Amino acid sequence: HTMHVGLNNTDELYSVVAPMVEQDWTSEPSLYIPEGPTFDNEGNLYFSPLPNKEGLSLVSLDVETGKRNWAIKAESGGGAPLILNDLDNPGKQVVYHCARDKAWAVKPSGKIIWETESGLSLPDDKSVTTHCWGMNYVAKYDVLTAVTIDAHVYLIERKSGKLLTEKPFRLPGKIAPAAKQLPAKAVLDSVDAVMAPVFDNDALFTSMINVIYGGDYQVSNFYGSDPNSGRLYIAATAPDADDGKTDGVSEFGAIYSVEVSKSKNGSFSLEVVSHKSFAGGTGSTPAISFDANRVMISDSSNLIIAMDLDLNELWRIEMDQQIAASIAISSDNNELYAVSKQHIYKLFDRVDHAELAWVADLDMFPDTAFYYNYNN
């Protein structure tokens, strides 16, 4: 029920499919949906498209037909919606959605429970990216969290929708340089040209590939929540000076452990309790193991790095290509899965080192150009 299955971002999902898979329906061809959709217990889908001509921020689709159930219009969108069980109504669920400037709690019927201002404003320049990476949840305090692409964090009380951060917290990094492993410029230009008239954006593909590989922004993917401590784990750019020069660009990436604290008077605060920097940026989502004793991340130097929850390094392994998105962690057998632009990898976590089990090639289009097999 989140972008990476659960609050830990393990990407582990038990499912059964038929030997033959057939297309049932196609829906919303004019909306670009890079994150989600997520689904409720009835199978209905919820997603937040990137800025679009209709001004849609959250859309619900019927599982049987693919038709639009309802939509919420707003000036900005966000990441994959978060769906939680309704603690006050057993058997029911609530959809939580955030944008840079607002957040919502919505019933599956489309009825808005609350709508809250985040404390962040939208820029006058509509070309500036204002993406929000979707909501996560800190069960320890029953609060919702939101992280933006420019590294702001805000908290909201789940039940009431009350904003708990008087001033949104911001991580200390600066923007990252452009990603290293982009497709050829001719490929980027040709795909941008095809997408432009449909999605009303001249450089959508280029910007999305940059985000996937950690370029141009501060936070390039979703973030994790430790169900025990309530800490957030956010992959972002490192503090500017960590790369040896203070120039407004963070050449290094970092993972931050952010403490969510509640004082005796009921006020909330956020604090970076530790961070680990590494050469090169990252487009990774931190993945927290099922037993919440370690966190996995990848960087732009082809490394997968395992740490304990205090961000002490346990091991690292170098792959032959940069790893994209998050590391998928199995709850049994110490198995890990990762993807690059052309491969799928299986590894074993051997406590103090990693062992590569196998590599699968993405070669399902053998008669087409090299770049069509990119795992984007």
Side-chain angles (χ1 to χ4, degrees):
H1 298 313
T2 73
M3 181 177 172
H4 291 284
V5 183
L7 307 181
N8 295 36
N9 296 331
T10 61
D11 280 300
E12 182 180 52
L13 180 68
Y14 293 100
S15 62
V16 177
V17 298
M20 296 295 292
V21 180
E22 296 181 356
Q23 181 172 316
D24 198 3
W25 45 257
T26 300
S27 184
E28 308 292 353
S30 64
L31 298 179
Y32 190 66
I33 309 158
E35 299 166 60
T38 47
F39 51 90
D40 63 20
N41 284 343
E42 301 298 323
N44 297 303
L45 305 176
Y46 304 86
F47 63 86
S48 181
L50 289 189
N52 54 88
K53 296 174 182 178
E54 290 186 73
L56 303 175
S57 185
L58 178 62
V59 180
S60 169
L61 300 182
D62 182 87
V63 64
E64 298 294 339
T65 65
K67 292 183 178 179
R68 193 181 294 181
N69 291 322
W70 49 262
I72 291 176
K73 290 190 175 185
E75 289 188 63
S76 62
L82 169 68
I83 300 175
L84 297 176
N85 293 330
D86 187 344
L87 300 181
D88 299 318
N89 298 285
K92 304 294 183 181
Q93 293 186 308
V94 178
V95 182
Y96 299 96
H97 171 55
C98 65
R100 179 184 176 84
D101 57 331
K102 292 181 181 180
W104 297 263
V106 191
K107 292 185 177 181
S109 65
K111 180 180 179 180
I112 295 177
I113 301 171
W114 50 255
E115 180 179 330
T116 299
E117 301 284 340
S118 72
L120 292 169
S121 60
L122 295 176
D124 294 331
D125 184 354
K126 300 301 181 183
S127 67
V128 175
T129 301
T130 60
H131 193 64
C132 192
W133 289 108
M135 290 198 131
N136 213 326
Y137 179 61
V138 177
K140 180 178 180 179
Y141 298 118
D142 197 20
V143 300
L144 303 164
T145 62
V147 176
T148 67
I149 200 168
D150 58 349
H152 287 94
V153 185
Y154 64 84
L155 305 177
I156 289 180
E157 189 174 72
R158 179 198 59 81
K159 187 172 181 179
S160 68
K162 177 184 177 183
L163 182 66
L164 299 174
T165 38
E166 293 184 8
K167 183 179 180 181
F169 176 82
R170 189 172 189 179
L171 295 173
K174 300 296 183 181
I175 62 168
K180 300 175 182 178
Q181 298 195 31
L182 297 179
K185 187 176 184 303
V187 176
L188 297 174
D189 290 346
S190 63
V191 179
D192 279 338
V194 171
M195 297 178 74
V198 180
F199 301 114
D200 199 25
N201 187 318
D202 293 335
L204 182 56
F205 184 68
T206 297
S207 64
M208 290 306 302
I209 299 300
N210 246 311
V211 168
I212 289 171
Y213 289 107
D216 278 352
Y217 300 101
Q218 287 180 256
V219 180
S220 289
N221 218 321
F222 198 58
Y223 56 102
S225 172
D226 173 19
N228 297 322
S229 68
R231 288 184 182 179
L232 302 178
Y233 289 85
I234 307 171
T237 54
D240 190 0
D242 280 14
D243 60 12
K245 53 186 177 182
T246 304
D247 57 359
V249 177
S250 293
E251 299 279 351
F252 283 10
I255 179 171
Y256 295 88
S257 173
V258 179
E259 187 85 64
V260 178
S261 301
K262 184 178 182 180
S263 67
K264 292 182 179 179
N265 66 8
S267 63
F268 281 82
S269 62
L270 293 161
E271 178 187 6
V272 174
V273 292
S274 59
H275 87 275
K276 178 179 177 59
S277 297
F278 37 79
T282 178
S284 179
T285 290
I288 301 169
S289 61
F290 182 79
D291 55 6
N293 68 6
R294 59 184 58 204
V295 57
M296 307 281 182
I297 198 167
S298 63
D299 71 0
S300 64
S301 301
N302 302 358
L303 293 174
I304 297 175
I305 305 171
M307 292 160 278
D308 64 23
L309 294 196
D310 291 321
L311 303 186
N312 299 304
E313 185 172 320
L314 303 173
W315 53 255
R316 60 175 55 195
I317 185 170
E318 185 174 2
M319 313 307 290
D320 59 351
Q321 293 181 342
Q322 182 179 344
I323 301 302
S326 67
I327 311 301
I329 305 175
S330 173
S331 59
D332 56 6
N333 300 328
N334 298 313
E335 296 172 349
L336 310 174
Y337 297 87
V339 298
S340 68
K341 65 184 179 182
Q342 290 178 293
H343 303 302
I344 299 172
Y345 308 88
K346 177 180 175 178
L347 304 96
F348 288 108
D349 180 356
R350 301 303 192 194
V351 183
D352 62 350
H353 70 281
E355 177 185 322
L356 181 62
W358 49 253
V359 181
D361 293 330
L362 291 172
D363 54 3
M364 66 289 291
F365 304 117
D367 297 324
T368 60
F370 172 82
Y371 54 79
Y372 284 129
N373 288 306
Y374 274 12
N375 186 11
N376 289 324

